[in-house]
Amino acid sequence: MKPEELEAARGRLVPDVVAEGLSVLFCGINPGLMTAATGHHFARPGNRFWPVLHLSGFTPRLLAPSEQRELLTYGLGITNVVARASARADELSADEYREGGRALTAKVQKLRPRWLAVVGVTAYRTAFGDLKARIGPQTRTIGSTRIWALPNPSGLNAHWTAQTMAEEYGRLRTAVESEAGS
């Protein structure tokens, strides 16, 4: 994709992939320019969301971003904390994160997923004012929806490898499955 095509996507909104009663609603920080240009979540080459989702056992095969609607057949969905597309998450203001947290809360109250998985603990901290949050399950709930903070799959997150991310995503999958079995 040409740089001017990506730049033209700045500020665009990307439709959520959601339904009521999902097992897990994954929540990105905000759409990147490639996502906004294509309309497919986590579309930038180098973003590890789709490989990690597969490696962790959430999907039976590696999905391409263009196959995002297939997630619904697995009880999974995707939304974002902040709807506005940008080149980098650091272009967002704290106010945008807080407003996004309020909008996300309303969305979760309406859709009632069993789990909200925020991919980016810093985004979770800012959106929900929980400055001590760590990767993993959170004590906060939204109604009956439990929350799990996951590592950000962006290629810019060098602290986590695809394998270590898959292990953390797998911990969430195990929690989802054990909850469903009880």
Side-chain angles (χ1 to χ4, degrees):
M1 190 161 285
K2 296 177 183 171
E4 59 271 13
E5 293 173 305
L6 289 177
E7 193 55 38
R10 186 176 297 277
R12 274 193 201 150
L13 303 180
V14 177
D16 292 337
V17 177
V18 297
E20 289 187 15
L22 295 169
S23 293
V24 181
L25 177 58
F26 289 95
C27 181
I29 297 170
N30 77 308
L33 297 182
M34 182 71 74
T35 289
T38 63
H40 303 127
H41 292 271
F42 301 102
R44 185 173 229 13
N47 188 298
R48 299 168 291 181
F49 178 78
W50 297 102
V52 166
L53 212 58
H54 174 60
L55 287 170
S56 64
F58 272 110
T59 60
R61 65 179 181 82
L62 177 60
L63 299 177
S66 61
E67 298 174 295
Q68 65 188 10
R69 297 216 46 91
E70 191 172 321
L71 289 176
L72 296 173
T73 65
Y74 307 121
L76 309 172
I78 305 176
T79 189
N80 287 289
V81 174
V82 175
R84 178 177 71 86
S86 67
R88 295 175 49 112
D90 62 8
E91 295 176 20
L92 305 173
S93 71
D95 285 342
E96 285 180 287
Y97 278 105
R98 286 188 290 273
E99 177 54 36
R102 289 188 289 274
L104 181 58
T105 297
K107 189 178 297 185
V108 167
Q109 287 170 334
K110 178 183 177 204
L111 296 173
R112 299 179 320 278
R114 291 200 338 250
W115 286 90
L116 171 66
V118 181
V119 295
V121 70
T122 303
Y124 173 79
R125 288 176 184 147
T126 307
F128 291 99
D130 186 352
L131 302 181
K132 295 184 180 187
R134 302 261 185 263
I135 295 292
Q138 306 301 305
T139 56
R140 170 192 304 266
T141 61
I142 300 173
S144 63
T145 299
R146 305 226 17 230
I147 302 172
W148 197 293
L150 290 168
N152 184 341
S154 166
L156 298 174
N157 182 359
H159 299 292
W160 291 78
T161 66
Q163 187 57 48
T164 58
M165 272 191 263
E167 289 167 11
E168 186 60 33
Y169 282 55
R171 285 182 57 220
L172 169 59
R173 184 186 48 78
T174 298
V176 170
E177 290 173 352
S178 67
E179 190 178 82
S182 50

